[in-house]
Amino acid sequence: TQLLEQSPQFLSIQEGENLTVYCNSSSVFSSLQWYRQEPGEGPVLLVTVVTGGEVKKLKRLTFQFGDARKDSSLHITAAQPGDTGLYLCAGNSGGGADGLTFGKGTHLIIQP
Amino acid sequence: DSGVTQTPKHLITATGQRVTLRCSPRSGDLSVYWYQQSLDQGLQFLIQYYNGEERAKGNILERFSAQQFPDLHSELNLSSLELGDSALYFCASGDSPSNTEAFFGQGTRLTVV
């Protein structure tokens, strides 16, 4: 069974601070995705990383896929209250035929 | 708006009953995925359909079943409901069986009392 461990589970910081959340596994994934979920809503896809060592930027968010494709990180620069939400990483072992394996998420609160 | 429509948004039912959740995928998407989200387990993959055929099974109980119709909408049937089945059920769609980028609906919150 493939597992994705996310850390920290909860994070509350002040507006303007930087933060990094992590997604780790002992398994190799062919691709890894990050989603953000707000209360009462479905997860929204932020990014997909495919190549080991890949770095993708989405405005103030930087996503990195580990060289061995077993882990990933999400770094947010100058966090804003609008970044508040549940951040989920999800991995696919290959072929898309197994659905996605999700981590339990990082609950992020950005205080004004 | 992801383009994925789920109905109903909320459902309250008694133990032992049967319910049907409905999902309309994004226009053009042939893949439909069903996920269950609970506080202790997080998001769990249940089942995938692609163009009407079952493609992959995850942690789906035998009391649960799904199907995808010729117009590509999908239904998830949950029977002999137990208190522990209370959860958020999400449908997601994608454009191919190998592309795992999934676009999620807003979910159906099922409460079993």
Side-chain angles (χ1 to χ4, degrees), chain B residues 82-99:
Chain B
E82 303 175 358
L83 296 177
D85 297 326
S86 295
L88 270 166
Y89 290 84
F90 286 103
C91 166
S93 73
D95 60 1
S96 78
S98 57
N99 181 0

Side-chain angles (χ1 to χ4, degrees), chain B residues 49-62:
Chain B
Y49 278 81
Y50 178 76
N51 202 20
E53 299 290 326
E54 182 185 301
R55 170 113 175 137
K57 262 188 175 179
N59 300 320
I60 188 166
L61 299 172
E62 286 192 9

Side-chain angles (χ1 to χ4, degrees), chain B residues 12-63:
Chain B
I12 300 175
T13 190
T15 54
Q17 295 298 304
R18 173 189 168 95
V19 297
T20 297
L21 313 183
R22 184 187 168 99
C23 169
S24 294
R26 289 188 319 162
S27 177
D29 283 355
L30 299 179
S31 262
V32 169
Y33 304 82
W34 285 98
Y35 289 86
Q36 179 193 60
Q37 187 175 37
S38 60
L39 285 175
D40 56 341
Q41 295 293 323
L43 265 165
Q44 298 279 315
F45 168 65
L46 296 178
I47 196 164
Q48 178 198 3
Y49 278 81
Y50 178 76
N51 202 20
E53 299 290 326
E54 182 185 301
R55 170 113 175 137
K57 262 188 175 179
N59 300 320
I60 188 166
L61 299 172
E62 286 192 9
R63 300 183 285 109

Side-chain angles (χ1 to χ4, degrees), chain A residues 33 37 41 48 95 97 100 104, chain B residues 35 37 40 56 97 100-101 106:
Chain A
Q33 296 163 16
Q37 185 178 18
E41 303 289 330
T48 299
L100 291 169
K104 291 191 178 181
Chain B
Y35 289 86
Q37 187 175 37
D40 56 341
T100 57
E101 291 186 341
Q106 290 194 314

